[in-house]
Amino acid sequence: MTPLRAELAVLTVPAFQDNYLWLIHDGVNAAVVDPGDAEPILAALRTHGLTLTAILLTHHHADHIGGVPRLLQAYQVPVFGPRNDGIGAVTHPLGEGDRVAVPGLELACTVLDVPGHTLGHIAYVRETPGEHWLFCGDTLFGAGCGRLFEGTPAQMKSSLDKLAALPDDTLVYCAHEYTLSNLRFAQAVEPANKALQMRVENDSKLRGTHLPTVPSNIAIEKATNPFLRATEPAILASLVAAGRLPAGADAAPDAVSAFAALREWKNVF
Ligand code: ZN
Ligand code: FE
């Protein structure tokens, strides 16, 4: 008997302190995004009776690729990943505009280059009508963004702009549960934002019962994520008040300087 295939779904597989590994599956086959650790993925595959058919990577950090060798011992599958991020295991190198037909699944993704956190970082977008998904690694987080380990503020800003331009209902599958800590910073820089207050209530409840705050969606991020709102008057005023932008900078805002100042402030918040 052939097992019955279902609609595509995404399993949340927690790993380490605060990583999420994503297992996209149809009840039979599965693709994993950013398997930093193999054991929780192998366990999830066993529990759900799934066969791994592909590995998708966003960037070269160990908490995103560490499980690849062990998974490849168990499953000989293609490894999709960034062309320019120095990951030796990648068999299918990808860059901006590439389309991926994920083996074993009815899943097509488009690739975006999103440099900043690392220089070669990519994101995967599923554009199926009614099913907009974004796997963005450590670029966009719930109410935050990744640290600039390799890229410039201008690069990260334009990467985030690209993600913010996706449809509002795009689900944001980022790779870490950093939302509450990011929200504390967001509230400090934009205390009067009503949508932000609602999100803090909602996400605090979720974390209070150990539920993930991820995925959010692009509409929520645009309404609450300070890194997508760096030129909002209230945020510019906070940057000036905190001495992170020169007095008067809010009159003629420069989007990259405002973003850079926000990112540096968050680093020490
Ligand atoms: Zn990373
Ligand atoms: Fe990470």
Side-chain angles (χ1 to χ4, degrees), residues 17 29 47 49 57 137 188 245 254 259:
Q17 282 296 309
N29 293 333
T47 303
L57 306 175
L245 281 180
D254 171 67
F259 171 77

Side-chain angles (χ1 to χ4, degrees), residues 59 61 63-64 117-118 121 138 149 176:
H59 68 291
H61 288 156
D63 62 315
H64 298 254
H117 179 71
T118 68
H121 202 304
D138 289 355
F149 285 122
H176 290 270

